[in-house]
Amino acid sequence: AVSFKIKGFYNRIEQKIGVFEFVETEDGVIAPAIDTTTFRFAYFNQANDKNQGVNLNFGYENGPLLLKTGASLVGYFQPSYESLGVDPFTYAVELNGEITYTVPRSLLRFSLFWRNNDRLITYFPDTNEDGESIVGQRIQDGFMLTDFTVGAPIWDKRFRVTAGVRNLLDVQTVTV
């Protein structure tokens, strides 16, 4: 069996809490960093966030073999876009895939998943050497994650127990 799906999405998230770089002011107040040189991170309330995009997914199933692949174009909201004069969204491509094999008699399932995240570009207010206001650009490199799982049905096939290994490629840092 072959499947193909196209989905569009738009998310508006109020009171989003996320991880951001931070600075400590002279008064001892911790605030989100505008630039990317602190390498100190904390959770902050971002107030409102948005994202939008489109997903394309293709699947193929033939007996015990399942193959899936997909691509997404995701737009990430730039909160300061008006004051910086940039587009409200920057876009990144995400690719994913899955290969699953189910052993017919035991229904033991082996799955390999992967996800490739494109580089992510964000903008922030900055100053040049002359003290003039400019738009700074932060680029987070892309990365790939790969997972492997094994699962088996239990209790008359009412539940499935799954164990696996995440991050097989051992991605520990992403360059910014």
Side-chain angles (χ1 to χ4, degrees):
V2 175
S3 64
F4 181 74
K5 295 179 186 176
I6 299 176
K7 297 179 192 175
F9 63 90
Y10 176 83
N11 297 302
R12 182 170 180 261
I13 304 160
E14 295 183 16
Q15 303 300 315
K16 178 185 176 186
I17 297 174
V19 176
F20 297 92
E21 280 189 89
F22 72 89
V23 294
E24 191 169 343
T25 66
E26 294 174 2
D27 302 332
V29 175
I30 293 177
I34 293 174
D35 64 18
T36 61
T37 59
T38 67
F39 300 110
R40 297 168 61 190
F41 295 88
Y43 287 96
F44 289 95
N45 186 326
Q46 186 179 341
N48 297 317
D49 189 29
K50 302 174 190 174
N51 62 38
Q52 62 185 18
V54 63
N55 298 327
L56 304 171
N57 294 293
F58 175 78
Y60 172 75
E61 188 171 3
N62 185 1
L65 183 64
L66 172 66
L67 303 172
K68 290 183 180 179
T69 188
S72 298
L73 180 64
V74 181
Y76 296 94
F77 183 63
Q78 302 295 306
S80 303
Y81 78 95
E82 290 179 305
S83 64
L84 296 175
V86 298
D87 291 331
F89 292 88
T90 58
Y91 288 86
V93 175
E94 296 176 0
L95 304 173
N96 64 72
E98 173 188 346
I99 299 171
T100 296
Y101 181 78
T102 304
V103 179
R105 285 189 177 239
S106 68
L107 298 181
L108 191 63
R109 184 180 297 163
F110 298 90
S111 297
L112 180 67
F113 305 94
W114 63 271
R115 181 175 173 169
N116 188 340
N117 293 302
D118 194 5
R119 71 182 187 158
L120 180 60
I121 300 173
T122 54
Y123 298 99
F124 58 92
D126 202 0
T127 55
N128 63 16
E129 300 85 27
D130 299 328
E132 300 168 329
S133 294
I134 61 169
V135 176
Q137 186 182 67
R138 175 184 182 171
I139 300 175
Q140 175 183 302
D141 285 348
F143 59 95
M144 185 169 164
L145 297 174
T146 305
D147 303 334
F148 177 77
T149 63
V150 178
I154 59 172
W155 288 323
D156 293 328
K157 301 178 188 172
R158 292 183 187 154
F159 296 97
R160 176 169 287 278
V161 174
T162 302
V165 179
R166 304 223 31 175
N167 194 14
L168 286 174
L169 302 176
D170 197 26
V171 175
Q172 295 185 17
T173 58
V174 177
T175 307
V176 176

